[in-house]
Amino acid sequence: MKLILTSTIDKLGIAGDVVDVKDGYGRNFLLPQGKAIVWNKGTEKQIEGIKRARDAREIKGVEHAQQIREQLEALEVTIPARVSDAGHLFGSVTGNDVAQAVKKAGGPAIDKRSVTFAKPVKSLGSHTAAVKLHGAVTAHVPFEVVAAS
């Protein structure tokens, strides 16, 4: 089955790539999740649009990724969260929470899917999130989880 990826899939390709996958993988996973669209001759214009959008937000090389890493690691990021009387979070801190807090702190826009944690963040205090910026560059963003007022 020939598909056009609309988002980056590890070990398969990046957004805008035309890939051949097994029918079941495409029909049961990629298409229902919106990670790909069916390829045909009429979708060539969509490929160009996807690639233009990807290039606009993509990090340009290792040097650019290292500059962004320095910016991210220098930020003071605080994430307000709802807590119980005992000091436990209702839920946990997500990649989306970190991405929004970085942007609010004056940092560059990062993709919430590139944010990972060593272990789930379910308590107040200082924590660190890893942000994959490039194949060879990962930023470790320190952040503070505080009780929301």
Side-chain angles (χ1 to χ4, degrees):
M1 173 180 272
K2 207 168 197 180
L3 299 173
I4 302 167
L5 295 178
T6 56
S7 63
T8 301
I9 308 292
D10 286 339
K11 299 179 185 171
L12 186 59
I14 56 177
D17 286 351
V18 178
V19 295
D20 277 321
V21 296
K22 294 197 177 200
D23 291 344
Y25 182 55
R27 188 174 45 247
N28 296 326
F29 179 70
L30 295 174
L31 291 174
Q33 299 244 342
K35 296 180 186 270
I37 55 176
V38 178
W39 178 90
N40 59 36
K41 291 184 181 186
T43 56
E44 292 297 323
K45 292 180 185 174
Q46 289 179 333
I47 293 172
E48 293 171 18
I50 291 170
K51 286 184 179 181
R52 259 187 273 120
R54 179 187 69 208
D55 290 342
R57 67 176 181 269
E58 187 176 89
I59 294 174
K60 312 282 191 281
V62 176
E63 295 83 17
H64 187 231
Q66 289 173 343
Q67 290 173 352
I68 292 174
R69 178 180 66 189
E70 290 172 8
Q71 290 175 0
L72 289 173
E73 291 177 349
L75 287 176
E76 291 186 22
V77 180
T78 58
I79 299 174
R82 291 182 42 215
V83 294
S84 67
D85 293 336
H88 298 286
L89 296 183
F90 292 118
S92 63
V93 175
T94 64
N96 188 33
D97 296 333
V98 172
Q100 288 178 350
V102 164
K103 191 171 183 179
K104 191 174 183 180
I110 57 173
D111 186 15
K112 65 182 180 183
R113 295 173 294 216
S114 65
V115 178
T116 58
F117 304 99
K119 59 182 181 176
V121 178
K122 297 185 178 188
S123 62
L124 297 175
S126 297
H127 301 280
T128 303
V131 180
K132 186 168 183 161
L133 300 171
H134 191 269
V137 180
T138 302
H140 297 285
V141 180
F143 64 93
E144 184 83 22
V145 180
V146 296
S149 53

mmCIF file with all atom_site columns, all heavy atoms in Angstrom, residues 86-103:
data_model
loop_
_atom_site.group_PDB
_atom_site.id
_atom_site.type_symbol
_atom_site.label_atom_id
_atom_site.label_alt_id
_atom_site.label_comp_id
_atom_site.label_asym_id
_atom_site.label_entity_id
_atom_site.label_seq_id
_atom_site.pdbx_PDB_ins_code
_atom_site.Cartn_x
_atom_site.Cartn_y
_atom_site.Cartn_z
_atom_site.occupancy
_atom_site.B_iso_or_equiv
_atom_site.pdbx_formal_charge
_atom_site.auth_seq_id
_atom_site.auth_comp_id
_atom_site.auth_asym_id
_atom_site.auth_atom_id
_atom_site.pdbx_PDB_model_num
ATOM 1   N N   . ALA A 1 86  ? -2.688 16.921 50.252 1.00 0.00 ? 86  ALA A N   1
ATOM 2   C CA  . ALA A 1 86  ? -1.480 16.188 50.619 1.00 0.00 ? 86  ALA A CA  1
ATOM 3   C C   . ALA A 1 86  ? -0.292 16.550 49.724 1.00 0.00 ? 86  ALA A C   1
ATOM 4   O O   . ALA A 1 86  ? 0.821  16.094 49.947 1.00 0.00 ? 86  ALA A O   1
ATOM 5   C CB  . ALA A 1 86  ? -1.736 14.687 50.549 1.00 0.00 ? 86  ALA A CB  1
ATOM 6   N N   . GLY A 1 87  ? -0.520 17.346 48.675 1.00 0.00 ? 87  GLY A N   1
ATOM 7   C CA  . GLY A 1 87  ? 0.565  17.765 47.800 1.00 0.00 ? 87  GLY A CA  1
ATOM 8   C C   . GLY A 1 87  ? 0.770  16.882 46.580 1.00 0.00 ? 87  GLY A C   1
ATOM 9   O O   . GLY A 1 87  ? 1.761  17.010 45.879 1.00 0.00 ? 87  GLY A O   1
ATOM 10  N N   . HIS A 1 88  ? -0.168 15.974 46.294 1.00 0.00 ? 88  HIS A N   1
ATOM 11  C CA  . HIS A 1 88  ? -0.074 15.104 45.125 1.00 0.00 ? 88  HIS A CA  1
ATOM 12  C C   . HIS A 1 88  ? -0.818 15.736 43.957 1.00 0.00 ? 88  HIS A C   1
ATOM 13  O O   . HIS A 1 88  ? -1.870 16.348 44.127 1.00 0.00 ? 88  HIS A O   1
ATOM 14  C CB  . HIS A 1 88  ? -0.660 13.720 45.427 1.00 0.00 ? 88  HIS A CB  1
ATOM 15  C CG  . HIS A 1 88  ? 0.055  12.996 46.513 1.00 0.00 ? 88  HIS A CG  1
ATOM 16  N ND1 . HIS A 1 88  ? 1.290  12.426 46.329 1.00 0.00 ? 88  HIS A ND1 1
ATOM 17  C CD2 . HIS A 1 88  ? -0.273 12.763 47.812 1.00 0.00 ? 88  HIS A CD2 1
ATOM 18  C CE1 . HIS A 1 88  ? 1.684  11.867 47.454 1.00 0.00 ? 88  HIS A CE1 1
ATOM 19  N NE2 . HIS A 1 88  ? 0.757  12.058 48.381 1.00 0.00 ? 88  HIS A NE2 1
ATOM 20  N N   . LEU A 1 89  ? -0.270 15.572 42.763 1.00 0.00 ? 89  LEU A N   1
ATOM 21  C CA  . LEU A 1 89  ? -0.912 16.130 41.570 1.00 0.00 ? 89  LEU A CA  1
ATOM 22  C C   . LEU A 1 89  ? -2.155 15.332 41.198 1.00 0.00 ? 89  LEU A C   1
ATOM 23  O O   . LEU A 1 89  ? -2.214 14.125 41.386 1.00 0.00 ? 89  LEU A O   1
ATOM 24  C CB  . LEU A 1 89  ? 0.045  16.092 40.375 1.00 0.00 ? 89  LEU A CB  1
ATOM 25  C CG  . LEU A 1 89  ? 1.308  16.927 40.436 1.00 0.00 ? 89  LEU A CG  1
ATOM 26  C CD1 . LEU A 1 89  ? 2.058  16.789 39.121 1.00 0.00 ? 89  LEU A CD1 1
ATOM 27  C CD2 . LEU A 1 89  ? 0.998  18.367 40.684 1.00 0.00 ? 89  LEU A CD2 1
ATOM 28  N N   . PHE A 1 90  ? -3.130 16.031 40.651 1.00 0.00 ? 90  PHE A N   1
ATOM 29  C CA  . PHE A 1 90  ? -4.265 15.370 40.019 1.00 0.00 ? 90  PHE A CA  1
ATOM 30  C C   . PHE A 1 90  ? -3.833 15.076 38.593 1.00 0.00 ? 90  PHE A C   1
ATOM 31  O O   . PHE A 1 90  ? -3.787 15.957 37.755 1.00 0.00 ? 90  PHE A O   1
ATOM 32  C CB  . PHE A 1 90  ? -5.506 16.272 40.016 1.00 0.00 ? 90  PHE A CB  1
ATOM 33  C CG  . PHE A 1 90  ? -6.072 16.524 41.377 1.00 0.00 ? 90  PHE A CG  1
ATOM 34  C CD1 . PHE A 1 90  ? -6.131 17.803 41.883 1.00 0.00 ? 90  PHE A CD1 1
ATOM 35  C CD2 . PHE A 1 90  ? -6.554 15.488 42.143 1.00 0.00 ? 90  PHE A CD2 1
ATOM 36  C CE1 . PHE A 1 90  ? -6.667 18.049 43.138 1.00 0.00 ? 90  PHE A CE1 1
ATOM 37  C CE2 . PHE A 1 90  ? -7.091 15.707 43.395 1.00 0.00 ? 90  PHE A CE2 1
ATOM 38  C CZ  . PHE A 1 90  ? -7.151 17.001 43.901 1.00 0.00 ? 90  PHE A CZ  1
ATOM 39  N N   . GLY A 1 91  ? -3.469 13.842 38.308 1.00 0.00 ? 91  GLY A N   1
ATOM 40  C CA  . GLY A 1 91  ? -2.938 13.495 36.997 1.00 0.00 ? 91  GLY A CA  1
ATOM 41  C C   . GLY A 1 91  ? -1.431 13.622 37.003 1.00 0.00 ? 91  GLY A C   1
ATOM 42  O O   . GLY A 1 91  ? -0.777 13.445 38.025 1.00 0.00 ? 91  GLY A O   1
ATOM 43  N N   . SER A 1 92  ? -0.856 13.948 35.833 1.00 0.00 ? 92  SER A N   1
ATOM 44  C CA  . SER A 1 92  ? 0.592  14.120 35.745 1.00 0.00 ? 92  SER A CA  1
ATOM 45  C C   . SER A 1 92  ? 0.904  15.210 34.730 1.00 0.00 ? 92  SER A C   1
ATOM 46  O O   . SER A 1 92  ? 0.051  15.637 33.975 1.00 0.00 ? 92  SER A O   1
ATOM 47  C CB  . SER A 1 92  ? 1.269  12.804 35.349 1.00 0.00 ? 92  SER A CB  1
ATOM 48  O OG  . SER A 1 92  ? 0.840  12.410 34.071 1.00 0.00 ? 92  SER A OG  1
ATOM 49  N N   . VAL A 1 93  ? 2.144  15.644 34.713 1.00 0.00 ? 93  VAL A N   1
ATOM 50  C CA  . VAL A 1 93  ? 2.591  16.657 33.764 1.00 0.00 ? 93  VAL A CA  1
ATOM 51  C C   . VAL A 1 93  ? 2.850  15.963 32.429 1.00 0.00 ? 93  VAL A C   1
ATOM 52  O O   . VAL A 1 93  ? 3.494  14.919 32.380 1.00 0.00 ? 93  VAL A O   1
ATOM 53  C CB  . VAL A 1 93  ? 3.872  17.351 34.281 1.00 0.00 ? 93  VAL A CB  1
ATOM 54  C CG1 . VAL A 1 93  ? 4.420  18.312 33.248 1.00 0.00 ? 93  VAL A CG1 1
ATOM 55  C CG2 . VAL A 1 93  ? 3.580  18.074 35.586 1.00 0.00 ? 93  VAL A CG2 1
ATOM 56  N N   . THR A 1 94  ? 2.343  16.540 31.339 1.00 0.00 ? 94  THR A N   1
ATOM 57  C CA  . THR A 1 94  ? 2.472  15.943 30.015 1.00 0.00 ? 94  THR A CA  1
ATOM 58  C C   . THR A 1 94  ? 3.449  16.741 29.157 1.00 0.00 ? 94  THR A C   1
ATOM 59  O O   . THR A 1 94  ? 3.863  17.847 29.517 1.00 0.00 ? 94  THR A O   1
ATOM 60  C CB  . THR A 1 94  ? 1.114  15.905 29.307 1.00 0.00 ? 94  THR A CB  1
ATOM 61  O OG1 . THR A 1 94  ? 0.661  17.244 29.088 1.00 0.00 ? 94  THR A OG1 1
ATOM 62  C CG2 . THR A 1 94  ? 0.086  15.133 30.133 1.00 0.00 ? 94  THR A CG2 1
ATOM 63  N N   . GLY A 1 95  ? 3.773  16.190 28.009 1.00 0.00 ? 95  GLY A N   1
ATOM 64  C CA  . GLY A 1 95  ? 4.627  16.880 27.053 1.00 0.00 ? 95  GLY A CA  1
ATOM 65  C C   . GLY A 1 95  ? 4.005  18.177 26.578 1.00 0.00 ? 95  GLY A C   1
ATOM 66  O O   . GLY A 1 95  ? 4.698  19.168 26.335 1.00 0.00 ? 95  GLY A O   1
ATOM 67  N N   . ASN A 1 96  ? 2.683  18.188 26.451 1.00 0.00 ? 96  ASN A N   1
ATOM 68  C CA  . ASN A 1 96  ? 1.979  19.402 26.052 1.00 0.00 ? 96  ASN A CA  1
ATOM 69  C C   . ASN A 1 96  ? 2.133  20.491 27.105 1.00 0.00 ? 96  ASN A C   1
ATOM 70  O O   . ASN A 1 96  ? 2.330  21.662 26.772 1.00 0.00 ? 96  ASN A O   1
ATOM 71  C CB  . ASN A 1 96  ? 0.503  19.099 25.804 1.00 0.00 ? 96  ASN A CB  1
ATOM 72  C CG  . ASN A 1 96  ? -0.241 20.250 25.202 1.00 0.00 ? 96  ASN A CG  1
ATOM 73  O OD1 . ASN A 1 96  ? 0.319  21.019 24.430 1.00 0.00 ? 96  ASN A OD1 1
ATOM 74  N ND2 . ASN A 1 96  ? -1.505 20.381 25.542 1.00 0.00 ? 96  ASN A ND2 1
ATOM 75  N N   . ASP A 1 97  ? 2.059  20.123 28.377 1.00 0.00 ? 97  ASP A N   1
ATOM 76  C CA  . ASP A 1 97  ? 2.241  21.093 29.462 1.00 0.00 ? 97  ASP A CA  1
ATOM 77  C C   . ASP A 1 97  ? 3.634  21.725 29.387 1.00 0.00 ? 97  ASP A C   1
ATOM 78  O O   . ASP A 1 97  ? 3.794  22.939 29.544 1.00 0.00 ? 97  ASP A O   1
ATOM 79  C CB  . ASP A 1 97  ? 2.069  20.422 30.831 1.00 0.00 ? 97  ASP A CB  1
ATOM 80  C CG  . ASP A 1 97  ? 0.664  19.892 31.061 1.00 0.00 ? 97  ASP A CG  1
ATOM 81  O OD1 . ASP A 1 97  ? -0.279 20.436 30.459 1.00 0.00 ? 97  ASP A OD1 1
ATOM 82  O OD2 . ASP A 1 97  ? 0.520  18.924 31.834 1.00 0.00 ? 97  ASP A OD2 1
ATOM 83  N N   . VAL A 1 98  ? 4.646  20.909 29.138 1.00 0.00 ? 98  VAL A N   1
ATOM 84  C CA  . VAL A 1 98  ? 6.014  21.412 29.057 1.00 0.00 ? 98  VAL A CA  1
ATOM 85  C C   . VAL A 1 98  ? 6.177  22.321 27.837 1.00 0.00 ? 98  VAL A C   1
ATOM 86  O O   . VAL A 1 98  ? 6.770  23.399 27.936 1.00 0.00 ? 98  VAL A O   1
ATOM 87  C CB  . VAL A 1 98  ? 7.027  20.249 29.016 1.00 0.00 ? 98  VAL A CB  1
ATOM 88  C CG1 . VAL A 1 98  ? 8.433  20.752 28.746 1.00 0.00 ? 98  VAL A CG1 1
ATOM 89  C CG2 . VAL A 1 98  ? 6.994  19.477 30.323 1.00 0.00 ? 98  VAL A CG2 1
ATOM 90  N N   . ALA A 1 99  ? 5.634  21.906 26.693 1.00 0.00 ? 99  ALA A N   1
ATOM 91  C CA  . ALA A 1 99  ? 5.750  22.709 25.473 1.00 0.00 ? 99  ALA A CA  1
ATOM 92  C C   . ALA A 1 99  ? 5.100  24.080 25.651 1.00 0.00 ? 99  ALA A C   1
ATOM 93  O O   . ALA A 1 99  ? 5.667  25.107 25.246 1.00 0.00 ? 99  ALA A O   1
ATOM 94  C CB  . ALA A 1 99  ? 5.130  21.970 24.292 1.00 0.00 ? 99  ALA A CB  1
ATOM 95  N N   . GLN A 1 100 ? 3.924  24.118 26.278 1.00 0.00 ? 100 GLN A N   1
ATOM 96  C CA  . GLN A 1 100 ? 3.247  25.397 26.511 1.00 0.00 ? 100 GLN A CA  1
ATOM 97  C C   . GLN A 1 100 ? 4.009  26.253 27.513 1.00 0.00 ? 100 GLN A C   1
ATOM 98  O O   . GLN A 1 100 ? 4.111  27.471 27.348 1.00 0.00 ? 100 GLN A O   1
ATOM 99  C CB  . GLN A 1 100 ? 1.819  25.152 26.999 1.00 0.00 ? 100 GLN A CB  1
ATOM 100 C CG  . GLN A 1 100 ? 0.905  24.630 25.919 1.00 0.00 ? 100 GLN A CG  1
ATOM 101 C CD  . GLN A 1 100 ? -0.494 24.345 26.437 1.00 0.00 ? 100 GLN A CD  1
ATOM 102 O OE1 . GLN A 1 100 ? -0.752 24.362 27.640 1.00 0.00 ? 100 GLN A OE1 1
ATOM 103 N NE2 . GLN A 1 100 ? -1.398 24.062 25.525 1.00 0.00 ? 100 GLN A NE2 1
ATOM 104 N N   . ALA A 1 101 ? 4.558  25.640 28.557 1.00 0.00 ? 101 ALA A N   1
ATOM 105 C CA  . ALA A 1 101 ? 5.304  26.392 29.568 1.00 0.00 ? 101 ALA A CA  1
ATOM 106 C C   . ALA A 1 101 ? 6.592  26.962 28.989 1.00 0.00 ? 101 ALA A C   1
ATOM 107 O O   . ALA A 1 101 ? 6.986  28.082 29.334 1.00 0.00 ? 101 ALA A O   1
ATOM 108 C CB  . ALA A 1 101 ? 5.604  25.498 30.766 1.00 0.00 ? 101 ALA A CB  1
ATOM 109 N N   . VAL A 1 102 ? 7.245  26.235 28.099 1.00 0.00 ? 102 VAL A N   1
ATOM 110 C CA  . VAL A 1 102 ? 8.471  26.732 27.464 1.00 0.00 ? 102 VAL A CA  1
ATOM 111 C C   . VAL A 1 102 ? 8.142  27.950 26.608 1.00 0.00 ? 102 VAL A C   1
ATOM 112 O O   . VAL A 1 102 ? 8.850  28.962 26.643 1.00 0.00 ? 102 VAL A O   1
ATOM 113 C CB  . VAL A 1 102 ? 9.149  25.621 26.620 1.00 0.00 ? 102 VAL A CB  1
ATOM 114 C CG1 . VAL A 1 102 ? 10.177 26.196 25.669 1.00 0.00 ? 102 VAL A CG1 1
ATOM 115 C CG2 . VAL A 1 102 ? 9.785  24.588 27.531 1.00 0.00 ? 102 VAL A CG2 1
ATOM 116 N N   . LYS A 1 103 ? 7.064  27.860 25.857 1.00 0.00 ? 103 LYS A N   1
ATOM 117 C CA  . LYS A 1 103 ? 6.668  28.976 25.007 1.00 0.00 ? 103 LYS A CA  1
ATOM 118 C C   . LYS A 1 103 ? 6.294  30.194 25.855 1.00 0.00 ? 103 LYS A C   1
ATOM 119 O O   . LYS A 1 103 ? 6.652  31.326 25.540 1.00 0.00 ? 103 LYS A O   1
ATOM 120 C CB  . LYS A 1 103 ? 5.494  28.566 24.120 1.00 0.00 ? 103 LYS A CB  1
ATOM 121 C CG  . LYS A 1 103 ? 5.181  29.555 23.039 1.00 0.00 ? 103 LYS A CG  1
ATOM 122 C CD  . LYS A 1 103 ? 4.156  28.988 22.083 1.00 0.00 ? 103 LYS A CD  1
ATOM 123 C CE  . LYS A 1 103 ? 3.907  29.963 20.954 1.00 0.00 ? 103 LYS A CE  1
ATOM 124 N NZ  . LYS A 1 103 ? 2.934  29.450 20.003 1.00 0.00 ? 103 LYS A NZ  1
#
